[in-house]
Amino acid sequence: MMSVRIALAGIGKIAGDQHVPSIAASPDWELAATVSRHGRIDGVEAFTDIERLLACRPDIEVVSLCMPPAPRFEYAAAALRAGRHVMLEKPPGATLAECVALEALAREKGVSLYATWHSREAAQVEKAGAWLRDKRLVSATIIWKEDVRRWHPGQDWIWRAGGLGVFDPGVNALSILTAILPEPVHLKAATLEVPENRETPIAASLDFAHPGGAEVTAVFDWRQQGDQTWTIDVETDAGRMRLADGGATLTIDGRKQADADGDGNALQGEYPRLYARMAKLVRSGGMDMDLSPMIHVADAFLLGRRVTVEPFDE
Amino acid sequence: MMSVRIALAGIGKIAGDQHVPSIAASPDWELAATVSRHGRIDGVEAFTDIERLLACRPDIEVVSLCMPPAPRFEYAAAALRAGRHVMLEKPPGATLAECVALEALAREKGVSLYATWHSREAAQVEKAGAWLRDKRLVSATIIWKEDVRRWHPGQDWIWRAGGLGVFDPGVNALSILTAILPEPVHLKAATLEVPENRETPIAASLDFAHPGGAEVTAVFDWRQQGDQTWTIDVETDAGRMRLADGGATLTIDGRKQADADGDGNALQGEYPRLYARMAKLVRSGGMDMDLSPMIHVADAFLLGRRVTVEPFDE
């Protein structure tokens, strides 16, 4: 299989940590260019303007976008208009309306568009969903507590209106929840704790309605020091399940599940799996724009009660 | 044509002002029952529980819901599960996720579901959209200023988290905007003014991105005394248009357009047109769940900057 030329736009922390090594390790892809105001990758042609890239490099079929959500739409729309396939870091945009517009544009142009949710590719998420499929849900409890200073140092945009705050990691939990629950849930109530000196929440609690009456709740907190917690506990009519470490570890009725998939292969990491999925979508002409995790976030802002909490300084 | 039996759930201000007279005036419908904790209509069988209604009156094919959005989902889901067609007052729910879930349920059951947007049925909205269709947009300016004391007396739920605040009328403007603009827009920035003693905004300003670079803005304000303003001003490369009085009056290049439709008939009111459309959907097995106005509202809460303003007391 020939590798496909891909450009990476937005060369910041997540690009260096995840996207570049995942692309480099895959036979599917050749990293052919970058677009970024400041960042660049040694040995890769660097552009500072998406329109220049699209004009100069018609051989690049795919553009992967990993800048913050606010500027992402313009890059995505430009690439789609130029007939390129597009892959979006999560969340897929700053608004739901722009995601809907991008999907319409991609359909019009007949190209692939992929709203990635990296946590859905964590090692044990698929197995957790398979286990849940034939069971009656009693409760699902999300605890997602991490130290913002450790994971988002100096990222001011997450604290400004539109930056999502603690929903930036929280949407990862929601992307897993929406992938593993057989039935759709919707928010009944939410509380958002916003530091006095910031515009976005540092913590949130969510209470969902479930069609079978199960208790489905989530607590997100960015003030966690020491051990970090990314856990979903599920109780059913036929046993309990704990998906921990952000989806990497699965315990069913107290028994930790093996770390290998059904074929006995070692599991890939989240980002390599995203890029493998994008390669499949491009080959098949497919589209994957599941907005359900982001819809829950927008719903939380829409109906959440805001509480002001003490100032947060990095 | 036989009339279809319909039940009306949520007998409050909007039911009495609009739904009951619209149903009564139409040969399409027979108001066969109501569901409400407190309200009732003289001469119509009254239930206080939706499940009782559905069990006792299998002859009622359609349920129209006009209670506040928070409790609406349970009623809608119960009616759909019982195989009834459902009509939803705007906004169609308290969350986007529940609207998506209702649509899936209606498809599963093979029944009609209609998210109504009454302002789209204002007399001149269709003509405004037709005029705009072949023109290049330069700007669209929404001014929606009304006196909350006059239009929502004693309606405490609009001030509690989830109640939408000034977006309750604002979504009417957005329902017109999304109906008449040929291209989709999405929010770039928003400011929400929230009274110190309330949870929802009393005023908002919105700034949209338009694919052709037009300036699209909206100002909503609930503190307007005296004259009320519900106006959309549009400038194009081929003239100007003003849609005023919430869509009832259309002026193109300074000339007020006639108040009659193409057939010379006097135009129906908004709610009679909604019920006529629902009758068509039921006959054809159709669905109309355009969530775009509500998506813009959720986007405004998602990325809007909140500003605290002086307390509001009724």
Side-chain angles (χ1 to χ4, degrees):
Chain A
M1 185 81 63
M2 287 266 293
S3 63
V4 174
R5 290 192 192 93
I6 189 168
L8 193 57
I11 306 301
K13 179 167 165 45
I14 192 72
D17 288 355
Q18 298 289 351
H19 291 260
V20 172
S22 300
I23 293 168
S26 167
D28 292 325
W29 302 106
E30 175 196 337
L31 182 56
T34 60
V35 188
S36 193
R37 278 174 308 173
H38 307 295
R40 50 186 305 150
I41 307 290
D42 280 348
V44 179
E45 187 178 10
F47 292 83
T48 54
D49 180 275
I50 181 80
E51 297 290 357
R52 285 280 303 163
L53 165 88
L54 296 168
C56 297
R57 295 294 305 265
D59 60 310
I60 293 178
E61 291 177 49
V62 178
V63 181
S64 178
L65 303 179
C66 47
M67 71 282 292
R72 204 176 292 151
F73 176 82
E74 289 304 329
Y75 285 77
L80 293 172
R81 279 194 299 263
R84 315 304 166 86
H85 309 288
V86 169
M87 181 167 163
L88 302 164
E89 188 38 284
K90 66 99 216 190
T95 62
L96 287 165
E98 72 190 63
C99 298
V100 174
L102 287 180
E103 183 170 352
L105 184 55
R107 287 194 195 285
E108 185 193 319
K109 292 290 177 179
V111 295
S112 292
L113 178 63
Y114 180 16
T116 68
W117 300 104
H118 65 81
S119 291
R120 285 187 175 173
E121 307 302 330
Q124 301 285 13
V125 170
E126 198 176 330
K127 198 184 282 180
W131 183 81
L132 262 173
R133 203 158 298 139
D134 59 352
K135 298 183 177 62
R136 194 175 62 75
L137 193 71
V138 174
S139 69
T141 309
I142 295 173
I143 309 283
W144 224 252
K145 294 185 175 178
E146 61 176 50
D147 182 355
V148 63
R149 292 183 178 89
R150 197 190 308 180
W151 301 100
H152 297 277
Q155 291 182 5
D156 254 3
W157 61 270
I158 54 173
W159 291 111
R160 284 195 299 268
L164 299 190
V166 77
F167 285 88
D168 182 84
V171 76
N172 296 338
L174 297 173
S175 75
I176 295 177
L177 185 78
T178 48
I180 66 175
L181 285 191
E183 313 89 1
V185 293
H186 65 265
L187 266 185
K188 280 191 296 195
T191 302
L192 312 186
E193 296 181 37
V194 182
E196 205 181 294
N197 61 337
R198 305 286 181 166
E199 294 175 351
T200 58
I202 196 165
S205 62
L206 313 179
D207 186 4
F208 291 91
H210 176 268
E215 274 189 42
V216 179
T217 60
V219 173
F220 304 150
D221 203 320
W222 247 352
R223 296 164 300 198
Q224 173 93 345
Q225 295 180 345
D227 284 350
Q228 309 285 287
T229 308
W230 300 286
T231 300
I232 304 180
D233 275 302
V234 177
E235 192 184 339
T236 75
D237 63 339
R240 290 161 184 271
M241 181 194 94
R242 166 171 284 196
L243 194 54
D245 305 327
T249 309
L250 181 65
T251 307
I252 294 177
D253 292 328
R255 285 187 302 280
K256 185 163 177 282
Q257 305 296 299
D259 278 343
D261 66 19
D263 303 326
N265 298 320
L267 288 162
Q268 290 179 299
E270 297 177 10
Y271 280 80
R273 288 165 68 136
L274 293 181
Y275 277 95
R277 175 148 178 72
M278 182 64 184
K280 271 191 203 161
L281 286 173
V282 168
R283 274 186 226 118
S284 65
M287 173 95 74
D288 185 345
M289 276 296 279
D290 178 9
L291 299 179
S292 59
M294 189 165 161
I295 283 175
H296 289 311
V297 174
D299 284 344
F301 279 81
L302 184 65
L303 64 67
R305 201 167 54 83
R306 287 191 175 226
V307 178
T308 301
V309 297
E310 61 183 27
F312 174 83
D313 296 295
E314 214 177 320
Chain B
M1 184 82 61
M2 289 266 292
S3 64
V4 174
R5 290 191 192 93
I6 189 169
L8 194 57
I11 306 301
K13 179 167 164 47
I14 192 72
D17 288 354
Q18 298 288 351
H19 291 260
V20 172
S22 300
I23 292 168
S26 167
D28 291 326
W29 301 106
E30 175 195 338
L31 182 57
T34 59
V35 187
S36 193
R37 277 174 307 172
H38 307 296
R40 50 186 306 150
I41 307 290
D42 280 348
V44 178
E45 186 178 12
F47 292 82
T48 54
D49 180 276
I50 180 81
E51 297 290 358
R52 285 281 302 162
L53 166 88
L54 296 168
C56 296
R57 295 295 305 267
D59 60 311
I60 293 178
E61 290 177 50
V62 178
V63 181
S64 178
L65 303 179
C66 48
M67 71 283 292
R72 204 176 292 150
F73 175 83
E74 288 305 330
Y75 285 77
L80 293 172
R81 278 194 299 263
R84 315 305 166 87
H85 310 287
V86 170
M87 181 167 163
L88 302 164
E89 188 37 285
K90 67 99 217 188
T95 62
L96 287 165
E98 72 190 63
C99 298
V100 173
L102 288 180
E103 184 170 352
L105 184 56
R107 288 195 195 284
E108 185 192 318
K109 292 290 177 178
V111 295
S112 292
L113 178 63
Y114 180 17
T116 68
W117 300 105
H118 65 80
S119 291
R120 285 187 174 173
E121 307 301 330
Q124 301 286 12
V125 169
E126 198 176 330
K127 198 184 283 181
W131 182 81
L132 261 173
R133 203 158 299 139
D134 59 352
K135 296 182 179 62
R136 195 175 61 75
L137 192 72
V138 175
S139 69
T141 309
I142 295 174
I143 309 283
W144 223 252
K145 293 184 176 180
E146 61 176 51
D147 182 355
V148 63
R149 291 184 179 87
R150 197 190 308 179
W151 301 100
H152 297 278
Q155 292 183 4
D156 253 3
W157 62 268
I158 54 173
W159 291 112
R160 284 196 298 268
L164 298 190
V166 76
F167 285 88
D168 182 84
V171 76
N172 296 338
L174 297 173
S175 75
I176 296 176
L177 186 78
T178 48
I180 66 175
L181 286 192
E183 312 89 1
V185 294
H186 64 265
L187 266 185
K188 280 190 297 196
T191 303
L192 312 186
E193 296 180 39
V194 182
E196 204 180 294
N197 61 337
R198 305 285 181 167
E199 294 175 350
T200 58
I202 196 165
S205 63
L206 312 179
D207 185 4
F208 291 91
H210 176 268
E215 275 188 42
V216 179
T217 60
V219 173
F220 304 149
D221 202 321
W222 247 352
R223 296 165 300 197
Q224 173 92 346
Q225 295 180 344
D227 285 350
Q228 309 285 287
T229 308
W230 300 287
T231 300
I232 304 179
D233 275 302
V234 176
E235 192 184 340
T236 74
D237 62 339
R240 289 163 184 271
M241 181 194 94
R242 166 171 285 196
L243 194 55
D245 305 328
T249 309
L250 181 64
T251 307
I252 293 177
D253 293 329
R255 287 186 301 279
K256 186 162 177 281
Q257 306 295 298
D259 277 343
D261 67 18
D263 303 324
N265 299 320
L267 288 162
Q268 292 180 299
E270 297 177 10
Y271 280 80
R273 287 167 69 137
L274 292 182
Y275 276 95
R277 174 147 178 74
M278 183 63 184
K280 271 191 204 160
L281 287 173
V282 169
R283 275 186 226 118
S284 66
M287 173 94 72
D288 185 345
M289 276 296 279
D290 178 8
L291 300 179
S292 58
M294 188 164 162
I295 284 175
H296 289 311
V297 174
D299 285 343
F301 279 81
L302 184 66
L303 64 67
R305 202 167 53 84
R306 289 192 171 222
V307 178
T308 302
V309 297
E310 62 183 26
F312 174 84
D313 295 296
E314 215 177 322

